């Protein structure tokens, strides 16, 4: 995948809000590398996912996305934190291979200031609506 691809990370207890933003991005022409909010692990989808399969899908989707948006959840999330780490590593590897003229960015929104690792993002926004607005109107 290339171009305007994105992975949207967030806490599972804010899954509905993440899904709404994923729908908005998709409607605006973004390619979401994986919509984890609709995965088979959720009760309404059967609740019978293989945890390794779910983790692998998320990991691969983060690695293949040009943009990564962490909707920093109100409550800590090991999964979202892990995904941010993968995105930072991928950005750094791409930069070494391709130089600084890369499309894409790591965006963190919401209560980002409580995380030292959120400071590794390219952009931070104090609320999710501002981040979504940037992605819809200003992202290269």
């Amino acid at each position: 995948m290339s171009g305007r691809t994105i992975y949207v990370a967030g806490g599972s207890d804010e899954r509905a809000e993440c899904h709404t933003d994923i729908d908005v991005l998709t409607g605006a022409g973004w390619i979401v590398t994986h919509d984890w909010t609709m995965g088979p692990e959720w009760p309404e989808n059967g609740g019978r996912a293989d945890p390794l399969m779910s983790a692998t899908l998320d990991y691969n989707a983060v690695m293949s996305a040009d943009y990564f948006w962490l909707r920093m959840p109100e409550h800590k999330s090991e999964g979202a934190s892990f995904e941010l780490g993968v995105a930072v590593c991928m950005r750094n590897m791409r930069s070494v291979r391709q130089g600084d003229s890369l499309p894409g960015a790591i965006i963190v929104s919401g209560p980002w200031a409580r995380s030292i690792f959120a400071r590794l993002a390219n952009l931070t926004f104090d609320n999710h609506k501002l981040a979504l607005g940037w992605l819809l109107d200003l992202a290269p």
Side-chain angles (χ1 to χ4, degrees):
M1 290 184 192
S2 64
R4 291 173 58 93
T5 60
I6 190 166
Y7 182 85
V8 180
S12 59
D13 58 343
E14 297 173 16
R15 181 169 57 104
E17 294 88 346
C18 291
H19 182 72
T20 297
D21 287 344
I22 288 170
D23 279 350
V24 170
L25 288 166
T26 302
W30 284 84
I31 299 167
V32 175
T33 56
H34 175 59
D35 183 354
W36 60 272
T37 68
M38 298 302 292
E41 64 272 20
W42 305 111
E44 64 272 19
N45 298 333
R48 295 192 184 106
D50 172 2
L52 177 59
M53 179 191 72
S54 293
T56 301
L57 286 171
D58 292 348
Y59 175 77
N60 289 337
V62 172
M63 290 188 48
S64 66
D66 292 318
Y67 289 79
F68 175 86
W69 176 20
L70 171 55
R71 296 177 84 265
M72 182 69 75
E74 290 295 323
H75 305 287
K76 288 188 178 189
S77 167
E78 290 98 8
S81 296
F82 172 82
E83 291 162 349
L84 174 61
V86 171
V88 169
C89 289
M90 285 305 299
R91 177 192 62 195
N92 295 345
M93 286 179 9
R94 286 180 182 144
S95 181
V96 167
R97 284 195 315 249
Q98 300 172 352
D100 291 332
S101 61
L102 295 174
I106 296 172
I107 300 107
V108 180
S109 63
W112 66 269
R114 70 165 191 240
S115 168
I116 62 170
F117 297 106
R119 288 159 175 79
L120 298 173
N122 299 95
L123 296 166
T124 55
F125 295 92
D126 290 333
N127 70 61
H128 305 309
K129 287 185 183 206
L130 289 173
L132 181 61
W134 184 86
L135 286 162
L136 294 174
D137 298 331
L138 299 173

